[in-house]
Amino acid sequence: AEQALQVAIDGPASAGKSTVAKLVAKRFGYIYVDTGAMYRAVTYWAMTHQVALTDEAAVAELMQTLTISFKPGEPDQLVFANGEDITAAIRQPDVTNNVSTIAALSKVRTILTAQQRQIAAAGGVVMDGRDIGSTVLPQAEVKIFLVASAAERAKRRYAENITKGINTPLAQLQAEIELRDHKDSTRKVSPLTQAADAVLVDTTPMSINEVVDTIANIIKKQSSAI
Ligand code: CDP
Ligand code: CDP
């Protein structure tokens, strides 16, 4: 029988992780878990509950009242906070620009990491984020580190924003992406880093389908090797 593997996809902002992770999951009949959405949900929840984003104890306490859940949806998976649909709200620029602050809090990471491990325990999962291969699922059978140049990533996010009615200028988007990458890569707890056994995939010149095929081939090779 086919093995139900754990597939970890990490990389910097807007490299295409969620887009390709979702398609790869569909191809293998796996579930897709967007861990960035979980950090965004906590950020949104703190911002709408007047909790200071740097107050670690207060944010951790607030999280005890927050249940994050997902439902399949097109084009985006739906994200809920205590049953409230926050799918669009967590992609707004104010959440995007504050999420790295929340993601640097060790207590927040401990709570979300435990939830993520529980979801992935049975296998048959594609999980994307920053620390999945390095920290959340160090035993994952497949680890991908997805990158693209910052200019290309800004262009992709710009095109995507237009369809959502968000009009941030291209140069500003690139600056924001680079700042978030810097914060995510230099934080003390579980920084963005390529796990030693992760496969580097540079998607700068690649179409979405090419990236999905590349990852699918890595998964097939790995599952026949087990
Ligand atoms: O989609 P985009 O690349 O803009 O970001 P995301 O995947 O939604 O993640 C948003 C933010 O959450 C990142 O910039 C990180 O600060 C944080 N994050 C994290 O720290 N660890 C993860 N496993 C996933 C996201
Ligand atoms: O999850 P992450 O922040 O890494 O990226 P994303 O939210 O999937 O956004 C990537 C954007 O680039 C989407 O608008 C994709 O349609 C587009 N794109 C891509 O993901 N991969 C390519 N090879 C080309 C474009």
Side-chain angles (χ1 to χ4, degrees):
E2 287 270 309
Q3 290 271 356
L5 307 184
Q6 291 179 337
V7 179
I9 302 182
D10 294 297
S14 303
K17 299 180 299 297
S18 48
T19 303
V20 301
K22 211 171 99 171
L23 292 167
V24 168
K26 203 171 182 182
R27 193 175 290 190
F28 288 86
Y30 288 3
I31 60 164
Y32 163 55
V33 184
D34 178 355
T35 67
M38 298 172 81
Y39 286 93
R40 287 172 180 273
V42 174
T43 304
Y44 170 78
W45 208 242
M47 290 172 75
T48 52
H49 288 74
Q50 285 77 50
V51 169
L53 304 184
T54 50
D55 188 339
E56 181 163 26
V59 175
E61 195 184 317
L62 182 72
M63 285 176 81
Q64 303 307 318
T65 69
L66 170 64
T67 301
I68 302 165
S69 55
F70 296 102
K71 262 189 211 158
E74 287 297 336
D76 294 325
Q77 190 175 51
L78 302 176
V79 187
F80 297 86
N82 296 353
E84 176 194 337
D85 186 344
I86 57 167
T87 311
I90 63 170
R91 306 286 160 198
Q92 291 303 311
D94 56 343
V95 172
T96 300
N97 292 329
N98 282 309
V99 61
S100 291
T101 304
I102 284 285
L105 303 176
S106 141
K107 287 190 164 125
V108 171
R109 302 203 70 85
T110 301
I111 295 168
L112 291 185
T113 297
Q115 293 177 9
Q116 290 154 11
R117 285 180 181 151
Q118 205 164 10
I119 298 170
V125 62
V126 182
M127 188 172 277
D128 82 326
R130 300 294 186 287
D131 63 336
I132 310 307
S134 61
T135 303
V136 178
L137 305 176
Q139 310 299 331
E141 291 88 353
V142 177
K143 297 182 186 178
I144 308 292
F145 199 72
L146 209 63
V147 301
S149 73
E152 173 64 21
R153 290 185 283 129
K155 258 195 259 171
R156 291 177 185 173
R157 188 47 56 96
Y158 183 83
E160 182 186 324
N161 278 352
I162 293 296
T163 70
K164 296 184 174 171
I166 302 172
N167 288 304
T168 314
L170 183 64
Q172 184 184 333
L173 270 183
Q174 184 170 335
E176 286 172 1
I177 284 174
E178 286 172 339
L179 177 64
R180 197 144 58 87
D181 288 349
H182 178 74
K183 286 188 190 164
D184 289 343
S185 306
T186 55
R187 68 171 175 240
K188 288 200 195 78
V189 267
S190 302
L192 168 65
T193 175
Q194 182 181 348
D197 52 351
V199 179
L200 179 72
V201 178
D202 184 349
T203 76
T204 307
M206 294 166 84
S207 70
I208 293 171
N209 275 335
E210 286 172 330
V211 181
V212 172
D213 286 344
T214 300
I215 296 174
N217 285 333
I218 295 169
I219 294 173
K220 279 185 218 145
K221 218 188 275 170
Q222 188 61 20
S223 55
S224 59
I226 290 170

